Amino acid sequence: MKRSRSSLFILCIVGIFLTVYGAAVILRLIFGDFLLVGGLTNPNYSLLALLCLVPFLFYLLVSRNDFEKVSEVILTSGLFFILLFVYTNFILVLALTENSSAIAIRLLIIFPIVALLLVTILHFFQSENSWWKEKN
């Protein structure tokens, strides 16, 4: 695939949906339970993926940096997001005794905020870090 903003756009979409649904499937296989009531058919999984996708796509669309800098920020923040998302889901499935809609609402608020914070922090880290400046 040609390296461009459109390929990174598609990679973001596929990556987030694979992260959200992949974590749900893995949790079902390992622990026999889903984080959200109703399993994979629960529309909150799709809503969670879309809300978590917004900060990545927004940064991709509004950033005026060159492609290499944008891809470094998105891929690094995406990796951190995957690690946090999977770890948090494992902990929640192990700790929760009852799934409720209140938990789903909290997840729909917290995970997109975490994704936004990761993209923002790594953007400023990239612009201030001397290692990135020396690399270019």
Side-chain angles (χ1 to χ4, degrees):
M1 182 180 278
K2 183 182 172 190
R3 295 185 66 181
S4 65
R5 287 186 185 257
S6 60
S7 65
L8 194 57
F9 187 85
I10 293 169
L11 181 67
C12 285
I13 294 171
V14 171
I16 291 291
F17 274 91
L18 280 177
T19 300
V20 172
Y21 281 100
V25 168
I26 290 171
L27 291 172
R28 173 72 173 157
L29 292 174
I30 293 175
F31 302 113
D33 198 13
F34 288 104
L35 182 61
L36 301 176
V37 178
L40 295 176
T41 59
N42 190 333
N44 286 332
Y45 279 116
S46 296
L47 185 59
L48 178 62
L50 290 173
L51 289 174
C52 292
L53 183 62
V54 169
F56 295 105
L57 295 183
F58 182 73
Y59 179 74
L60 181 63
L61 293 175
V62 300
S63 178
R64 286 183 258 151
N65 292 338
D66 64 347
F67 175 74
E68 291 299 320
K69 291 180 182 180
V70 170
S71 65
E72 286 175 356
V73 169
I74 287 181
L75 294 177
T76 307
S77 59
L79 178 66
F80 285 133
F81 178 76
I82 289 170
L83 292 174
L84 286 172
F85 185 83
V86 171
Y87 178 73
T88 306
N89 278 315
F90 274 104
I91 297 300
L92 287 173
V93 167
L94 285 175
L96 289 177
T97 57
E98 177 182 323
N99 294 342
S100 67
S101 62
I103 293 169
I105 292 170
R106 288 182 187 136
L107 291 176
L108 291 173
I109 294 170
I110 290 174
F111 280 123
I113 291 172
V114 167
L116 178 65
L117 288 173
L118 283 170
V119 170
T120 305
I121 289 168
L122 285 168
H123 168 74
F124 288 116
F125 180 75
Q126 177 206 25
S127 62
E128 296 297 324
N129 191 335
S130 61
W131 177 74
W132 253 309
K133 288 181 182 178
E134 289 173 6
K135 184 179 170 187
N136 294 327

